[in-house]
Amino acid sequence: MPALDIREIGDDDVEDVAALWKTCGLTRPWNDPHADIAFARKCENATLLVGRLSGSIVASAMAGHDGHRGTVYYVTVDPDLQGKGLGRAIMAAAEDWLRKRGVWKLNLMVRESNTPVIDFYEALEYEREDRVNLAKWIDLSKKPSGKMP
Ligand SMILES: CC(C)(COP(=O)(O)OP(=O)(O)OC[C@H]1O[C@@H](n2cnc3c(N)ncnc32)[C@H](O)[C@@H]1OP(=O)(O)O)[C@@H](O)C(=O)NCCC(=O)NCCS
């Protein structure tokens, strides 16, 4: 497997990244991928890394920090290429991006039922911590109606 070519997203990559997220089942009705990409791109403390093989986008990771901790979202690898080390590679790039900006700890959220992804992060030396994740929609116009799955 050739090395993943990892760079920050460019204007021409947006549609391919949105399509990758859709293929990987990462999009949700309340998260418009184009809006999420645009928001991350205009934020100084965030990046969206894309990984290419033979010119095609096959992996992504959105990384950012809030002035204290780092986090990642939209970590994904093309389903046909999973299990070959590409997820590890894009996460290493996200960690490097954060480390270079002075971040020393990364927190991330995974649904408790999503055991394959928890296993992936544990293989990358992420540890479970005894925390409760609380969230509040502070812009109610964006809040989805009904119960979120
Ligand atoms: C999670 C995901 C990014 C992992 O990417 P990947 O390229 O398959 O992972 P890698 O091949 O780099 O695996 C890295 C390590 O994690 C382990 N791992 C990966 N998937 C695993 C799984 N389903 N179960 C157990 N271990 C797993 C691998 O064994 C490997 O460990 P090793 O290096 O010690 O052998 C990929 O499966 C994916 O895109 N899933 C769908 C999208 C998603 O749910 N993303 C996370 C939410 S944002």
Side-chain angles (χ1 to χ4, degrees):
M1 172 72 55
L4 198 57
D5 175 16
I6 301 173
R7 302 179 201 184
E8 293 199 312
I9 189 171
D11 292 342
D12 294 342
D13 302 332
V14 171
E15 292 308 322
D16 287 348
V17 170
L20 177 68
W21 292 356
K22 195 169 179 198
T23 304
C24 296
L26 288 184
T27 50
R28 296 287 180 272
W30 54 90
N31 287 338
D32 170 9
H34 293 88
D36 284 0
I37 291 169
F39 191 41
R41 292 186 74 193
K42 75 177 182 193
C43 179
E44 273 183 28
N45 291 345
T47 189
L48 179 44
L49 301 174
V50 296
R52 285 184 173 75
L53 282 180
S54 308
S56 301
I57 292 177
V58 297
S60 78
M62 182 185 285
H65 72 85
D66 54 18
H68 185 52
R69 298 293 188 231
T71 195
V72 291
Y73 294 95
Y74 290 114
V75 176
T76 194
V77 170
D78 184 311
D80 292 340
L81 294 164
Q82 290 176 8
K84 299 176 190 302
L86 303 183
R88 183 183 280 279
I90 198 93
M91 275 301 296
E95 291 171 8
D96 281 348
W97 190 92
L98 289 164
R99 202 180 290 109
K100 279 183 189 142
R101 283 153 185 84
V103 177
W104 58 95
K105 186 178 180 197
L106 200 157
N107 293 333
L108 50 83
M109 288 181 289
V110 182
R111 284 173 200 276
E112 195 152 16
S113 58
N114 198 349
T115 46
V117 172
I118 293 172
D119 290 345
F120 164 70
Y121 285 120
E122 287 186 336
L124 270 53
E125 299 179 2
Y126 285 76
E127 295 172 355
R128 289 174 192 245
E129 291 188 330
D130 184 15
R131 306 280 188 274
V132 175
N133 182 52
L134 302 174
K136 178 180 179 181
W137 293 80
I138 57 171
D139 179 350
L140 292 177
S141 70
K142 300 273 171 45
K143 185 176 180 180
S145 54
K147 195 172 181 303
M148 289 168 70

